[in-house]
Structure formats: structure tokens, C-alpha cells
Amino acid sequence: MSFRVEAAQNQIIENKSNPINQKIDRKFSSFLTESLQKQTTATEMKISNHAQKRMEERDIQLNHSDLTTIEGAVEELNQKGSKNSLIIYKDMALIASIDNRTIITAMNANEMETITNIDSVKKINV
């Protein structure tokens, strides 16, 4: 059994935001680019359930400005190609999944002994 893929025709879409209702000629690639841009703008940090429990146990608290600072570090690590990173911030150490923008676990900096399965370290100076 074989399948044949034919070249797609340009799609004509009615632009409802334009009061004149002009038609716009868009290709699939422009839809794809737009979709990818929407995904990359959702850069909000998440905290996993595991990390949340560890933070409660160790009395670690992050406020909005802390998360904004950490988001900046995660973005820098992402641009450099990091996947799993140790982020040292104030008196805490956070392991983060850079691709998922998720804090995986948290500990006090003085608890760090052996850290494995990371590919980068970022120290945020405050």
C-alpha cells in the first residue's frame, strides 16, 4: 500500500479583525510559525509536586520576584542548550528541567553534597 502526498494549495482565510473583511492568502508555514511562537511565549515556571513538598519540608519560600529571577536564569540556560540544571539562588539550590521550565526539587544550599544527572550549573547573584 502506498500513499501519495500532493502539494498543498494556499489557504484563503477571511480576516475578521479587518473591518473591510479583506481576504488573506496564508501558507501552512505561516500557521506553523505562528503556533510555535505562541508555545515559546508561555515561559512561566512551574513547580513540581515533589519540589513543592521539599520546599514545605525545608521552609523554602519563593515569591513572585524570585520566580521572575529564576525564569531569567532558565531562559539563559535554555539559550545555551541546557536540559537539567542546578540553580543556586540565595540560600537555596534548585534542580530544574529547562525544557519543561519546571523546578524538579529544592533544597537548602548547605544540604548539597552530591548532585547527579545535570548538565549545567547557574549561580544567580543577588
Side-chain angles (χ1 to χ4, degrees):
M1 180 186 297
S2 67
F3 294 97
R4 183 175 168 185
V5 177
E6 296 183 17
Q9 298 294 322
N10 290 348
Q11 183 178 6
I12 306 295
I13 302 175
E14 198 173 305
N15 186 355
K16 303 217 187 249
S17 64
N18 188 338
I20 303 172
N21 267 344
Q22 293 178 345
K23 300 212 179 221
I24 299 173
D25 185 14
R26 292 183 68 186
K27 294 184 177 182
F28 174 77
S29 62
S30 67
F31 285 109
L32 181 61
T33 302
E34 183 179 308
S35 175
L36 290 172
Q37 286 173 345
K38 286 180 183 177
Q39 287 178 354
T40 57
T41 57
T43 60
E44 185 174 306
M45 287 297 299
K46 296 173 275 212
I47 301 175
S48 71
N49 288 334
H50 175 81
Q52 191 68 42
K53 289 177 188 173
R54 297 302 164 262
M55 290 170 68
E56 289 171 10
E57 289 171 3
R58 296 172 171 134
D59 196 29
I60 297 173
Q61 297 176 358
L62 295 172
N63 60 35
H64 183 70
S65 66
D66 292 333
L67 284 174
T68 302
T69 303
I70 293 167
E71 284 175 9
V74 167
E75 182 56 36
E76 181 182 337
L77 290 162
N78 185 45
Q79 291 173 0
K80 296 192 181 278
S82 298
K83 301 295 179 197
N84 293 303
S85 298
L86 168 64
I87 300 173
I88 301 171
Y89 178 63
K90 294 183 178 178
D91 61 344
M92 61 190 94
L94 310 167
I95 306 288
S97 168
I98 304 305
D99 288 340
N100 298 330
R101 300 204 179 284
T102 303
I103 297 173
I104 299 170
T105 194
M107 66 192 91
N108 293 310
N110 60 2
E111 293 178 298
M112 284 191 307
E113 288 186 18
T114 303
I115 306 291
T116 60
N117 297 329
I118 60 168
D119 59 17
S120 56
V121 175
K122 171 74 177 162
K123 182 176 182 187
I124 302 173
N125 295 319
V126 198

